[in-house]
Each structure stands twice: as structure tokens, then as C-alpha cells.
Amino acid sequence: MFFQHLLNGLIIGGIYAMVALGYSMVYGVLQIVNWAHADVLMFGTFIGMLLATFLHVPVIAMVLLAALFTAILGMAVERVAYRPIKSANRRMAVLVSALGMSTFLQNLAQLVFGSGTRQFKVFDTNAYEIGGMKITGMQILILSVTAVMLLILYIMVYRTKLGIAMRACSVSIDNAKLMGINTNMIISGTFGVGAFMAGVAGILVGNYYNAVYPTMGYLLGMKAFAAAILGGIGSIPGAVFGGFIIGVIESLGAGYISSAYRDAFSFLVMILILIIRPAGLLGAKHIDKV
């Protein structure tokens, strides 16, 4: 039974990890929290549902198109809600703008798609038994896609010029400008990459629970943000590690204590760990020199 709960936790943890990466990447570059990130994910999931249900677009094309739409929307959010005020260097203004954009996207989704829950199921739901554990085709797909997406992100961040530029901006945007890096383009690209991964995660979670609705991003976003904080906000490996930890804790807590408090376990553990290590499990301590 333990290994079954562990497997379930790793599966949902993979989704948390992909969403948490968007929070962590943006924070690493701009030192701000993109609160609209999960609502961008929600919009991408609706687009995927429409492409699959009404236009009957092939599954792979549907996922790519929905994720591409999500990436474009993520870059648009950066251009409209963050870029005009980031030079003011006022965290409160950025926070209010982020929360306003999140509320706007949720209400726009309710206006366009309605406030009800829609079904979304296009992947294999057959169950298989492996070593005494039951796993569905959807769960296998989530694990596989998560592994592929994390590998692609690793190659992009650590093996490409775009990744080098992103890491340079995360150290110092001013110094990156002096080195000739187009920081606005890199910031926009960071939002786009994070949103693309969130778009894929949204398609997976929408199919996993067979439900898409305008507020679906709220709790998912909170757990993913908790994962980013737990692993160390701004750290890409930390976001991945934190996502899997949150997923496993949630699954084990629901299985052995009570499913009614499923959502509380992950936040409780996050608080306890941050009391011991405020920077997160893989977060680096920052020392300001005077």
C-alpha cells in the first residue's frame, strides 16, 4: 500500500514540479512572484479542451498548440502587467498588478467559457498492474511527459545561449545589459518557457481529474508555489524537488491519515521545513555586502 501511495504522489508531484518551475524561473530573473501563472495555465487547458472536443485536433498537435497558446499568453501577461512597472522598483505595485491580472483572467474565463466544470478526457484510462501496484495509462503518460519536459528544460537552461542569458539575468540584470544581452527579450522568454511547461501540465491535470473550470488554477498554483518555496524559490532543481516532495506528502497524508486534509499536509510540512531552513531545501543564502 505504501508503494501505491508513493507512486500516486510522484505522479501528481510531477505536475506540481512543472508548474513550480514557472514560479521559480520568473522569480530567479525578476525577483517577483507571477501570481497569474496558474491562471494562464487554466486558459491553456480550456484551449486544449476546445481543440480536442470541438475541432477534433490530434492529441499531440492539441497539446503543442495549447502549450504554445499558453506561452504566448504568458509573454503577453509579462508585457502588460509587469514590464510597465518593473522599472519603478516597487514590490507592492508589482504584487497588486499580479493579483489584478490573476483576477482578470479568472473572470474573463468565466465570461468566455462559463463558470461550470467541463469534462476533458482524451488519454488512455485503462489500468495496469505492475508489481502489485495499479497504474493507469494516464499516470504513465504523466510520468513520461514530466521526465521529457524536465530533460528538455535542463538542456535549454544549461546547454543553450538562451539558458546562459537567463542565468546571467538571474545573477544581475544590470550587468547582463552591460554584456549586450537584450534583457527584455530574455525576461519575456522566461515567462514564455514557464508558461509553456504550465500549459502541458494543465492538459495533463485536466485529463487526470477529467475536469476543467475557471478557478482550477488557484489551488494547483498554491501547491506549486509551495513546492517552489519548499525547494528554494529561484532554484530550478529546487522547484522540481519541492514538487515531488509536496506530491508524495499529500498522497501519504491522504492515504494514512485522512483524505479530508489532503490539501493541508503539504502546506504544514512546508511551514515546518521553512522554520528550520528559511531559504528552502536547495535555496542559496544571499549575503548583502555593505
Side-chain angles (χ1 to χ4, degrees):
M1 199 66 177
F2 169 79
F3 291 105
Q4 182 69 62
H5 292 310
L6 180 63
L7 175 63
N8 294 339
L10 290 174
I11 289 165
I12 194 63
I15 292 177
Y16 294 155
M18 284 196 286
V19 181
L21 282 167
Y23 288 109
S24 212
M25 291 169 64
V26 169
Y27 187 87
V29 173
L30 285 179
Q31 303 295 301
I32 63 173
V33 178
N34 178 18
W35 288 115
H37 182 59
D39 300 294
V40 170
L41 173 153
M42 171 270 297
F43 250 96
T45 309
F46 267 109
I47 294 299
M49 182 205 67
L50 294 177
L51 289 173
T53 305
F54 296 102
L55 299 180
H56 305 290
V57 175
V59 173
I60 296 178
M62 176 270 292
V63 174
L64 293 176
L65 288 173
L68 180 61
F69 170 86
T70 312
I72 295 172
L73 180 58
M75 291 188 287
V77 166
E78 183 274 331
R79 185 67 181 85
V80 173
Y82 298 110
R83 189 179 300 183
I85 60 175
K86 71 181 178 65
S87 59
N89 198 27
R90 294 184 178 179
R91 297 280 180 98
M92 186 58 67
V94 175
L95 175 62
V96 172
S97 180
L99 293 174
M101 179 56 70
S102 173
T103 303
F104 169 76
L105 290 175
Q106 285 188 28
N107 283 272
L108 180 60
Q110 292 183 35
L111 179 65
V112 175
F113 304 112
S115 58
T117 300
R118 302 199 182 193
Q119 294 184 335
F120 186 22
K121 183 72 73 174
V122 296
F123 296 112
D124 177 24
T125 58
N126 293 327
Y128 309 93
E129 188 166 337
I130 302 175
M133 296 183 296
K134 290 184 178 180
I135 185 170
T136 65
M138 184 67 221
Q139 291 175 322
I140 295 174
L141 179 65
I142 290 175
L143 288 175
S144 302
V145 171
T146 299
V148 171
M149 293 297 292
L150 294 180
L151 177 61
I152 291 174
L153 181 67
Y154 174 84
I155 294 173
M156 189 208 72
V157 172
Y158 295 101
R159 295 291 187 270
T160 67
K161 290 184 178 180
L162 174 61
I164 294 173
M166 288 170 58
R167 287 185 285 134
C169 288
S170 69
V171 174
S172 172
I173 289 183
D174 291 333
N175 288 339
K177 288 180 181 178
L178 293 175
M179 296 300 293
I181 296 174
N182 186 338
T183 55
N184 281 334
M185 184 183 73
I186 297 304
I187 290 170
S188 182
T190 302
F191 272 80
V193 171
F196 186 93
M197 295 197 68
V200 175
I203 297 295
L204 294 176
V205 76
N207 276 267
Y208 190 61
Y209 293 112
N210 191 22
V212 186
Y213 48 96
T215 57
M216 65 176 287
Y218 175 74
L219 187 57
L220 176 60
M222 290 297 293
K223 290 182 180 179
F225 180 65
I229 293 292
L230 178 62
I233 189 73
S235 168
I236 290 178
V240 176
F241 190 47
F244 284 113
I245 288 180
I246 291 291
V248 169
I249 290 172
E250 180 181 302
S251 180
L252 291 177
Y256 287 104
I257 301 177
S258 172
S259 60
Y261 302 104
R262 171 189 295 271
D263 298 330
F265 296 128
S266 52
F267 294 108
L268 177 61
V269 171
M270 180 196 72
I271 293 171
L272 293 176
I273 291 178
L274 291 181
I275 291 173
I276 301 172
R277 185 175 174 81
L281 294 175
L282 300 183
K285 294 181 179 180
H286 295 282
I287 301 175
D288 295 327
K289 296 183 179 180
V290 179

